[in-house]
Amino acid sequence: MGYLCLLGVLVIVVGFILGVDTVAVVVISALVSVLVSRIDFVFTNLMVRSVGSAGILPQLLATLGTVFTVSGVGQATSKAISGLLVTIY
């Protein structure tokens, strides 16, 4: 979103060079920023929809791993498997 700031500054500079009123320059720069951010939002939304749930799968798996680590599921599973292996052999 840094380019929106640069775009706003560019509109203000061009407005002052052309001798446009200050309020009009600020309004024009705000409108241009809103328009560009809306276009950016639409493309981002389309990209997220095209990726689907696979886009958030790594975050979900990382969260699930953290929950399992904190709750001690790994230690309980290793004890259960080691106890099972001892009784088999």
Side-chain angles (χ1 to χ4, degrees), residues 15-41:
F16 284 135
I17 290 173
L18 296 177
V20 181
D21 186 30
T22 306
V23 175
V25 168
V26 171
V27 169
I28 291 171
S29 98
L31 291 175
V32 167
S33 296
V34 167
L35 179 67
V36 170
S37 66
R38 177 68 183 152
I39 291 170
D40 190 33
F41 173 76

Side-chain angles (χ1 to χ4, degrees), residues 33-61:
S33 296
V34 167
L35 179 67
V36 170
S37 66
R38 177 68 183 152
I39 291 170
D40 190 33
F41 173 76
V42 169
F43 286 131
T44 303
N45 194 15
L46 288 174
M47 186 173 26
V48 169
R49 284 186 180 186
S50 68
V51 171
S53 60
I56 61 168
L57 187 61
Q59 289 86 358
L60 290 175
L61 291 175

Side-chain angles (χ1 to χ4, degrees), residues 72-81:
V73 171
Q75 291 176 352
T77 305
S78 68
K79 286 181 184 177
I81 290 177

